[in-house]
Amino acid sequence: MNQTAKNAGLALMRQHALIAGEPIPANGSGIAVDDPATGEVIGHVPDLGAAETDAAIQAAAEAFPDWSRGDPHRRAAFLRRWAALIDDNVEGLGALMALENGKPFEEAKGEVTYANGFIKWFAGEAERLIGETQDSPLGHLLLTYREAVGPCALITPWNFPAAMLTRKLGPAFAAGCTAVVKPASQTPFTAIALAELAYQAGLPVGALSIVTGEASVIGKVLTDSPLIRKLSFTGSTGVGRKLAEQCAPTLKRVSMELGGAAPLIVFADADLDLAVAETIKGKFRNSGQTCVCPNRVYVERSVAEAYAEKLAAEVAKIKVGAAFEEGVKVGPLIEDKAIEKVEKHVTAVRADGGRVLTGGSRHELGGRFFQPTVTLGGDDALFREEETFGPMIPVFAFDTETEALDKANASEFGLASYLFTRDLDRAMRFSRRIEAGMCGVNTGLISTAVAPFGGVKQSGYGREGSIHGIDEYVDVKTVTLALR
Ligand code: NAP
């Protein structure tokens, strides 16, 4: 166990919420946060409600005029100072995240760096909030400005406690928005630590609050408030739908980063070793608990057995364990229910005549650990509509390109997709026809700060990261100038 790293994480853990820069301590009660590897409580955050959420909204509204109308270079400079502080604290933030989320420590540090990529990228975007001039057919001169939408509500999930937050706060702050954040109750400490660093970097008081507590209560206050002009949500499709409905009466701008059931397709002409290695990279990040990880793999029949066997042989080597153990690649799942879901999916494959090639059961470590699993055959129907959200790869065979495309698209989700082939024509054709916001061709890694991230269909709308990310946080104002 890496006690030094753990201590660095605990040193950054603050057991309080932050309303307008002011800490509200938990004092040993409220919401208990546990280490998924052991189930032991590592700390508490307060169980706040409507009054504190209102106070946070008020503070965001008060901080908004000065922050949004000020020089965007001031916001860029702040983002760069914040990013520098995060760079100085990669170890501590990674350890804190590993403690509350359970992901391997090395991977958690990688997430901190990935998360910081959004802050660095959007520091540059703040400097490029450029408007346009244009002649109008009425003989006027048109000027456009890209103005901050207003105070924002940002609701984030537990699976990427840092990156899901910075992917929203980076563009929000760059545009001049202020924010009230509701982090996931299972992983609030990373968000609070990042917020503390933001204040250390000189964020004006009130520009950011972190409210912890009952999600439905806080969510209702945020969505009902006319002062909040935008909601950005990352989480499950069911909750996303509900929040979009709640935002309708106040006509808020809404971005929705929701669930996925990503297909991964391997054609017979693909480099199978590459396909196997990339499938593993894509699938086992965060122990299979990512919205973009391959949920169902379709392989051309002539190579299906060979691919699945190679995959199973590699997956069987993956080391499972607690976050701070050397060489661990797959950690515990976030909660007991998550284990039950993976079990249900393995059982479904077996019931449909599929075979388990490796894994298939709870891990001998017990608790929330599950064996990395590969199955072959059975029915893909369940995997089109339900994310396994655990370390399991179900492989199915297909016969024709049309069948593969139909299967890939036969899902209500459309977030990520992956394709392995050496045929350039097919890669171009297939990636255009697939109903997904993102398609990785011969790669299992598609997320960086510079790539537009988002889905179609029931996976939501809006794009995060890239040159498009800031558009979610700006309104375009047109000034028509009559030149006489
Ligand atoms: P979730 O249950 O929807 O929770 C996400 C966040 O919403 C948490 O902060 C949660 O708070 C909050 N929440 C829950 N009910 C709410 C309500 N009625 N009003 C307001 N807020 C509410 O999702 P999850 O299980 O944490 O996350 C996994 C899901 O997120 C998966 O479906 C995954 O695919 C998706 N995801 C999507 C992306 C993407 O970019 N598309 C990225 C990552 C994850 P509490 O924690 O307090 O319940």
Side-chain angles (χ1 to χ4, degrees), residues 344-388:
K344 176 184 127 183
H345 283 196
V346 175
T347 305
V349 168
R350 282 201 171 107
D352 292 329
R355 283 183 287 144
V356 174
L357 302 187
T358 188
S361 313
R362 286 170 186 250
H363 197 274
E364 61 196 21
L365 289 169
R368 300 177 201 162
F369 292 94
F370 200 88
Q371 295 172 338
T373 297
V374 177
T375 63
L376 177 62
D379 189 349
D380 70 326
L382 178 64
F383 300 90
R384 293 187 216 151
E385 302 306 344
E386 227 178 74
E387 300 168 284
T388 304

Side-chain angles (χ1 to χ4, degrees), residues 306-325:
Y307 165 89
E309 271 169 17
K310 272 177 191 277
L311 183 67
E314 291 306 313
V315 167
K317 295 179 197 158
I318 292 175
K319 182 166 176 193
V320 177
F324 294 94
E325 269 174 50

Side-chain angles (χ1 to χ4, degrees), residues 155-160 164 167 182-186 213 215-216 219-220 233-237 239 242-243 257-260 290-291 387 389 415 453 459 464:
I155 303 182
T156 54
W158 49 265
N159 61 348
F160 289 93
M164 297 304 98
R167 216 160 72 166
K182 152 75 187 83
S185 297
Q186 282 146 326
S216 56
K220 188 77 171 78
F233 173 73
T234 299
S236 58
T237 294
V239 173
K242 188 172 175 197
L243 289 170
E257 296 284 347
L258 307 177
T290 83
C291 53
E387 300 168 284
F389 245 57
L415 189 60
F453 190 105
S459 293
E464 292 193 318

